[in-house]
mmCIF file of all heavy atoms in Angstrom:
data_model
loop_
_atom_site.group_PDB
_atom_site.id
_atom_site.type_symbol
_atom_site.label_atom_id
_atom_site.label_comp_id
_atom_site.label_asym_id
_atom_site.label_seq_id
_atom_site.Cartn_x
_atom_site.Cartn_y
_atom_site.Cartn_z
ATOM 1 N N VAL A 69 -57.408 -29.106 -62.665
ATOM 2 C CA VAL A 69 -57.620 -27.882 -63.452
ATOM 3 C C VAL A 69 -58.117 -26.747 -62.566
ATOM 4 O O VAL A 69 -57.928 -25.571 -62.869
ATOM 5 C CB VAL A 69 -58.617 -28.159 -64.598
ATOM 6 C CG1 VAL A 69 -59.022 -26.872 -65.316
ATOM 7 C CG2 VAL A 69 -58.011 -29.144 -65.599
ATOM 8 N N SER A 90 -46.810 -26.227 -72.312
ATOM 9 C CA SER A 90 -47.711 -26.666 -71.258
ATOM 10 C C SER A 90 -48.745 -25.600 -70.958
ATOM 11 O O SER A 90 -48.472 -24.393 -71.082
ATOM 12 C CB SER A 90 -46.914 -26.982 -69.982
ATOM 13 O OG SER A 90 -47.782 -27.372 -68.931
ATOM 14 N N ASN A 91 -49.927 -26.039 -70.547
ATOM 15 C CA ASN A 91 -50.974 -25.134 -70.074
ATOM 16 C C ASN A 91 -50.919 -24.950 -68.561
ATOM 17 O O ASN A 91 -51.812 -24.331 -67.978
ATOM 18 C CB ASN A 91 -52.361 -25.667 -70.468
ATOM 19 C CG ASN A 91 -52.645 -25.513 -71.949
ATOM 20 O OD1 ASN A 91 -52.226 -24.540 -72.574
ATOM 21 N ND2 ASN A 91 -53.346 -26.480 -72.522
ATOM 22 N N PHE A 92 -49.883 -25.494 -67.937
ATOM 23 C CA PHE A 92 -49.726 -25.396 -66.491
ATOM 24 C C PHE A 92 -48.512 -24.542 -66.136
ATOM 25 O O PHE A 92 -47.455 -24.657 -66.764
ATOM 26 C CB PHE A 92 -49.552 -26.781 -65.857
ATOM 27 C CG PHE A 92 -50.810 -27.607 -65.829
ATOM 28 C CD1 PHE A 92 -51.207 -28.331 -66.942
ATOM 29 C CD2 PHE A 92 -51.597 -27.651 -64.681
ATOM 30 C CE1 PHE A 92 -52.363 -29.099 -66.919
ATOM 31 C CE2 PHE A 92 -52.758 -28.411 -64.649
ATOM 32 C CZ PHE A 92 -53.139 -29.132 -65.771
ATOM 33 N N PHE A 107 -53.097 -24.736 -63.194
ATOM 34 C CA PHE A 107 -53.603 -24.585 -64.556
ATOM 35 C C PHE A 107 -53.668 -23.110 -64.922
ATOM 36 O O PHE A 107 -54.240 -22.290 -64.199
ATOM 37 C CB PHE A 107 -54.994 -25.225 -64.662
ATOM 38 C CG PHE A 107 -55.524 -25.255 -66.071
ATOM 39 C CD1 PHE A 107 -54.912 -26.024 -67.037
ATOM 40 C CD2 PHE A 107 -56.633 -24.506 -66.415
ATOM 41 C CE1 PHE A 107 -55.400 -26.057 -68.337
ATOM 42 C CE2 PHE A 107 -57.129 -24.523 -67.706
ATOM 43 C CZ PHE A 107 -56.514 -25.306 -68.668
ATOM 44 N N ALA A 108 -53.085 -22.766 -66.065
ATOM 45 C CA ALA A 108 -52.968 -21.356 -66.468
ATOM 46 C C ALA A 108 -54.022 -20.943 -67.484
ATOM 47 O O ALA A 108 -54.112 -19.767 -67.848
ATOM 48 C CB ALA A 108 -51.575 -21.087 -67.031
ATOM 49 N N GLY A 109 -54.842 -21.877 -67.935
ATOM 50 C CA GLY A 109 -55.875 -21.531 -68.906
ATOM 51 C C GLY A 109 -55.657 -22.227 -70.235
ATOM 52 O O GLY A 109 -54.646 -22.898 -70.466
ATOM 53 N N GLY A 110 -56.624 -22.067 -71.124
ATOM 54 C CA GLY A 110 -56.553 -22.731 -72.409
ATOM 55 C C GLY A 110 -57.393 -23.992 -72.417
ATOM 56 O O GLY A 110 -58.178 -24.245 -71.511
ATOM 57 N N GLN A 111 -57.219 -24.798 -73.440
ATOM 58 C CA GLN A 111 -57.975 -26.024 -73.572
ATOM 59 C C GLN A 111 -57.257 -27.148 -72.836
ATOM 60 O O GLN A 111 -56.132 -27.508 -73.180
ATOM 61 C CB GLN A 111 -58.114 -26.403 -75.055
ATOM 62 C CG GLN A 111 -58.900 -27.670 -75.312
ATOM 63 C CD GLN A 111 -60.348 -27.559 -74.842
ATOM 64 O OE1 GLN A 111 -60.967 -26.515 -74.968
ATOM 65 N NE2 GLN A 111 -60.880 -28.657 -74.308
ATOM 66 N N PRO A 112 -57.882 -27.721 -71.779
ATOM 67 C CA PRO A 112 -57.221 -28.799 -71.036
ATOM 68 C C PRO A 112 -57.044 -30.042 -71.903
ATOM 69 O O PRO A 112 -58.026 -30.622 -72.372
ATOM 70 C CB PRO A 112 -58.177 -29.074 -69.875
ATOM 71 C CG PRO A 112 -59.068 -27.875 -69.794
ATOM 72 C CD PRO A 112 -59.187 -27.365 -71.191
ATOM 73 N N THR A 113 -55.813 -30.416 -72.141
ATOM 74 C CA THR A 113 -55.509 -31.623 -72.907
ATOM 75 C C THR A 113 -54.367 -32.369 -72.222
ATOM 76 O O THR A 113 -53.616 -31.792 -71.427
ATOM 77 C CB THR A 113 -55.088 -31.276 -74.344
ATOM 78 O OG1 THR A 113 -53.958 -30.388 -74.313
ATOM 79 C CG2 THR A 113 -56.219 -30.603 -75.107
ATOM 80 N N SER A 114 -54.254 -33.630 -72.543
ATOM 81 C CA SER A 114 -53.172 -34.429 -71.979
ATOM 82 C C SER A 114 -51.823 -33.876 -72.428
ATOM 83 O O SER A 114 -51.668 -33.412 -73.567
ATOM 84 C CB SER A 114 -53.302 -35.891 -72.405
ATOM 85 O OG SER A 114 -54.474 -36.469 -71.870
ATOM 86 N N GLU A 115 -50.842 -33.913 -71.521
ATOM 87 C CA GLU A 115 -49.509 -33.415 -71.801
ATOM 88 C C GLU A 115 -48.468 -34.465 -71.428
ATOM 89 O O GLU A 115 -48.689 -35.271 -70.522
ATOM 90 C CB GLU A 115 -49.233 -32.125 -71.007
ATOM 91 C CG GLU A 115 -50.199 -31.004 -71.316
ATOM 92 C CD GLU A 115 -49.896 -29.739 -70.532
ATOM 93 O OE1 GLU A 115 -48.883 -29.720 -69.786
ATOM 94 O OE2 GLU A 115 -50.655 -28.765 -70.671
ATOM 95 N N PRO A 133 -55.427 -33.658 -67.446
ATOM 96 C CA PRO A 133 -56.181 -32.652 -66.677
ATOM 97 C C PRO A 133 -57.542 -33.167 -66.257
ATOM 98 O O PRO A 133 -58.239 -33.833 -67.028
ATOM 99 C CB PRO A 133 -56.319 -31.492 -67.676
ATOM 100 C CG PRO A 133 -55.274 -31.723 -68.716
ATOM 101 C CD PRO A 133 -55.130 -33.210 -68.818
#
Side-chain angles (χ1 to χ4, degrees):
V69 172
S90 178
N91 287 325
F92 288 83
F107 187 66
Q111 180 63 38
T113 57
S114 295
E115 301 181 3

